[in-house]
Amino acid sequence: MSTTGKQSRKKKDPTLNAKASKRKASASHCHQGRGGQRRSRLTIANPDAAAVDVGSQVHYAAVPEGRAERSVRSFGAYTAQLDELVQWFKDCEIKTVAMESTGVYWIPLYQKLEEAGFEVLLVDARQVKHVPGRKSDVQDCQWSQQLHSYGLLRAAFRPEDSICRLRTLQRHRKSLVECGAMWIQHLQKALDEMNLHLHHVLTDISGQSGLAILDAILAGERDPRKLASLVDHRVKKSQAQIEAALRGNYRPELLFVVGQALSNYRQMQQQIAQCDLKIEQQLASVASCNEPKRGSEQTPLPQEGGTVKVKGGSRKRKPKGALELSLAAHLKRILGVDLTAIPGLHVLAVLSLVSEIGTNMAKWHNEKAFVSWMGLSPNNKVSGERVLSSRTRKVNNRAATTLRLAAMLLGRTDTPLGSFYRRKRAHLGAPKAITATARKLGCLIYRLIKDGQAYKEVDLQTYELKYKKQILCSLRKRANGFGFDLVELPKAA
């Protein structure tokens, strides 16, 4: 029988045609999504993409196939070897490079690649940790290169270079402050062993009165009456109480510990002062943010001796030093707005925020993405149309820590934000109230920096009245849903 006869019989056989149509339908269905929509296949989004698996001593780099004799090479971590890696990428005509954020080992290579003009993506290790097959450094960089070529990797947030320099200084200052607090703890422990309860009569033993007493003790003074006379007149404890706290066992080895701890604490304070000057110089070199919109009124810088509304009354604001006023002026120039006008945020808190988030709010799509990056929004996990968990993500974000501390301070203020915190605390508890208030602060800061508008605080009475109207409106809707009506009781005469 000829071949043409077989083909003609297949065309006439209805069973064969039905089977063929079913196979075509199943094949086309594999490329369709839900509702008949055709799924998009993976395409090469970055043909000139490379990847680096970063290590402390060796970096493994992968380029696309055909760009070099070996698509994967290893390079050392010395500066000359990093230059060789950069040159190899240039020879392979690479334009964009992905790397994991491994410790601090990625920073020198990142800076080298950025200076050479490459587009560098700093990738979270969680995005590329699921490597198919056996895990090795070679396979890690090949898998990262493949994902990056398909455009499946997202870059982590990293501000511009001037903000990165400011961030380094600010984090170093925080370490110095922690070291100073550690030496105060050593000092207080030695005083407890000598049975000198100085911290029970003084709020801060590193203050003016505490340092004067410690210097006199180290100079050889042991008379409690003379030591108590060095206390400032503003101390609330009586003279007799201070004298009783200064009677103890002055052991020579513990006095030696006190002397060294006090010396180290003062050295930390000197280094903090030098670091503050360096931070001021770096702030002066940071470019200003976008000009604020026309018609937006700028809030003047808080003057010395101002007041802060505190629950139960008002108290005087601590006078600012010259350095703090200078930092506030630089921050206002950089951001275009004065964030210290927000209750709970002082100059050092705003400085910490700027060093962590920068000034370009276009890095995030909206305020919700901004607070989600800080780990302040609920992380809903849904499966089977059921919410399994709505806890916030565990994120080590210094900006979020600053906002949480500011939220705790807001609870003691007679402001709308303070009222919001107290309401949430009564309903959800303190931890969730702190997170909710920090999220509200984050959204507010995002809008102020992005729009360039000054912060205008609503009157507390107006805010409470608006909230009461919202509650009444919600109650009326619920009552109408059950067939009832909400009636206000007549006021007593």
Side-chain angles (χ1 to χ4, degrees):
M1 185 181 289
S2 61
T3 308
T4 56
K6 291 181 180 179
Q7 293 176 352
S8 62
R9 191 170 66 182
K10 284 182 180 179
K11 289 180 181 179
K12 292 178 182 179
D13 192 351
T15 307
L16 295 174
N17 291 335
K19 290 181 179 179
S21 62
K22 285 183 179 179
R23 285 196 299 268
K24 290 181 181 178
S26 63
S28 62
H29 180 70
C30 292
H31 298 289
Q32 289 182 354
R34 212 171 169 183
Q37 296 179 355
R38 190 175 182 85
R39 294 179 181 175
S40 59
R41 296 181 179 180
L42 287 176
T43 57
I44 301 295
N46 301 313
D48 302 324
V52 181
D53 184 74
V54 180
S56 60
Q57 296 182 352
V58 181
H59 303 323
Y60 287 86
V63 297
E65 295 287 343
R67 298 294 179 96
E69 295 181 3
R70 292 182 298 168
S71 60
V72 179
R73 286 183 59 184
S74 62
F75 297 87
Y78 296 135
T79 303
Q81 294 164 332
L82 294 183
D83 293 334
E84 184 182 354
L85 171 58
V86 172
Q87 186 60 43
W88 185 59
F89 280 160
K90 289 181 179 180
D91 296 339
C92 296
E93 299 180 353
I94 298 298
K95 296 181 180 178
T96 176
V97 182
M99 64 170 62
E100 294 182 21
S101 54
T102 307
V104 295
Y105 307 125
W106 59 271
I107 296 179
L109 180 58
Y110 184 97
Q111 294 172 349
K112 285 281 184 182
L113 293 171
E114 201 173 37
E115 291 173 359
F118 292 98
E119 179 189 357
V120 189
L121 267 74
L122 185 64
V123 182
D124 189 359
R126 289 180 296 180
Q127 299 185 37
V128 293
K129 69 178 181 179
H130 299 293
V131 182
R134 297 180 179 177
K135 187 182 184 306
S136 66
D137 294 334
V138 175
Q139 288 179 337
D140 278 348
C141 63
Q142 287 178 326
W143 178 242
S144 301
Q145 190 275 330
Q146 185 178 359
L147 292 176
H148 188 28
S149 63
Y150 287 128
L152 298 177
L153 298 179
R154 292 184 301 174
F157 169 72
R158 181 169 171 83
E160 54 270 17
D161 187 64
S162 59
I163 299 297
C164 288
R165 296 173 188 268
L166 178 64
R167 173 190 289 182
T168 302
L169 294 173
Q170 179 64 20
R171 291 182 178 180
H172 176 62
R173 185 188 187 279
K174 181 176 179 293
S175 300
L176 292 176
V177 172
E178 292 174 352
C179 288
M182 180 192 68
W183 287 116
I184 289 295
Q185 291 174 347
H186 285 303
L187 192 150
Q188 184 171 331
K189 179 184 176 183
L191 291 177
D192 285 337
E193 292 183 15
M194 288 189 294
N195 203 32
L196 295 176
H197 299 279
L198 189 60
H199 60 285
H200 289 160
V201 293
L202 297 180
T203 305
D204 183 12
I205 62 174
S206 62
Q208 179 181 353
S209 300
L211 293 178
I213 292 176
L214 291 174
D215 288 336
I217 290 174
L218 294 174
E221 184 62 53
R222 300 291 181 266
D223 187 2
R225 184 174 298 179
K226 292 183 180 179
L227 293 175
S229 64
L230 300 174
V231 173
D232 192 85
H233 67 279
R234 292 171 294 181
V235 175
K236 296 182 179 180
K237 296 294 182 180
S238 64
Q239 193 80 1
Q241 290 175 322
I242 299 174
E243 291 178 11
L246 291 173
R247 288 187 174 92
N249 184 12
Y250 293 92
R251 296 175 64 88
E253 69 275 11
L254 293 176
L255 290 173
F256 175 77
V257 174
V258 169
Q260 286 207 330
L262 184 60
S263 176
N264 289 330
Y265 169 75
R266 282 177 167 155
Q267 184 182 6
M268 289 296 107
Q269 295 303 308
Q270 293 177 1
Q271 293 185 359
I272 290 173
Q274 295 173 2
C275 188
D276 287 340
L277 294 176
K278 193 66 179 178
I279 289 175
E280 184 184 9
Q281 295 175 5
Q282 181 60 32
L283 279 174
S285 64
V286 176
S288 301
C289 188
N290 296 331
E291 293 294 329
K293 293 184 178 180
R294 295 180 181 179
S296 62
E297 299 178 0
Q298 298 295 328
T299 304
L301 284 172
Q303 301 294 326
E304 295 186 10
T307 59
V308 179
K309 292 182 180 179
V310 182
K311 192 176 180 182
S314 62
R315 68 181 181 188
K316 288 188 177 181
R317 185 192 295 267
K318 222 175 174 182
K320 293 184 178 181
L323 180 62
E324 193 172 351
L325 288 173
S326 178
L327 293 178
H330 283 302
L331 290 172
K332 183 178 179 181
R333 174 188 60 82
I334 293 170
L335 296 174
V337 293
D338 180 21
L339 293 185
T340 58
I342 302 175
L345 290 181
H346 49 82
V347 176
L348 293 180
V350 176
L351 177 62
S352 178
L353 285 174
V354 172
S355 65
E356 295 297 331
I357 66 176
T359 59
N360 185 13
M361 295 293 106
K363 297 282 187 178
W364 299 275
H365 300 297
N366 48 36
E367 59 189 38
K368 292 183 178 180
F370 176 63
V371 294
S372 176
W373 169 75
M374 289 191 292
L376 296 175
S377 59
N379 183 27
N380 293 332
K381 296 180 181 179
V382 182
S383 179
E385 299 181 356
R386 212 158 42 98
V387 178
L388 302 179
S389 173
S390 60
R391 292 178 176 270
T392 55
R393 293 183 296 113
K394 292 183 178 179
V395 178
N396 186 16
N397 192 295
R398 291 175 174 85
T401 303
T402 303
L403 292 181
R404 289 179 191 273
L405 293 174
M408 294 174 64
L409 294 175
L410 280 173
R412 299 169 9 190
T413 61
D414 276 334
T415 59
L417 288 172
S419 177
F420 173 82
Y421 169 80
R422 290 188 291 272
R423 190 171 68 248
K424 291 295 181 182
R425 183 180 60 186
H427 178 57
L428 302 172
K432 292 184 179 180
I434 291 172
T435 302
T437 310
R439 182 192 181 280
K440 198 175 187 68
L441 280 174
C443 294
L444 177 61
I445 290 171
Y446 179 89
R447 291 194 297 268
L448 292 180
I449 297 178
K450 186 175 182 181
D451 299 337
Q453 296 179 354
Y455 173 70
K456 296 180 180 179
E457 184 177 345
V458 184
D459 182 54
L460 180 61
Q461 187 176 1
T462 305
Y463 174 79
E464 294 287 354
L465 186 62
K466 180 181 178 181
Y467 175 70
K468 183 179 178 182
K469 289 181 179 179
Q470 291 177 354
I471 295 297
L472 290 175
C473 182
S474 175
L475 288 175
R476 286 193 183 95
K477 286 183 179 180
R478 295 184 65 182
N480 293 334
F482 287 106
F484 297 96
D485 191 14
L486 196 66
V487 180
E488 186 178 358
L489 292 174
K491 295 182 179 179

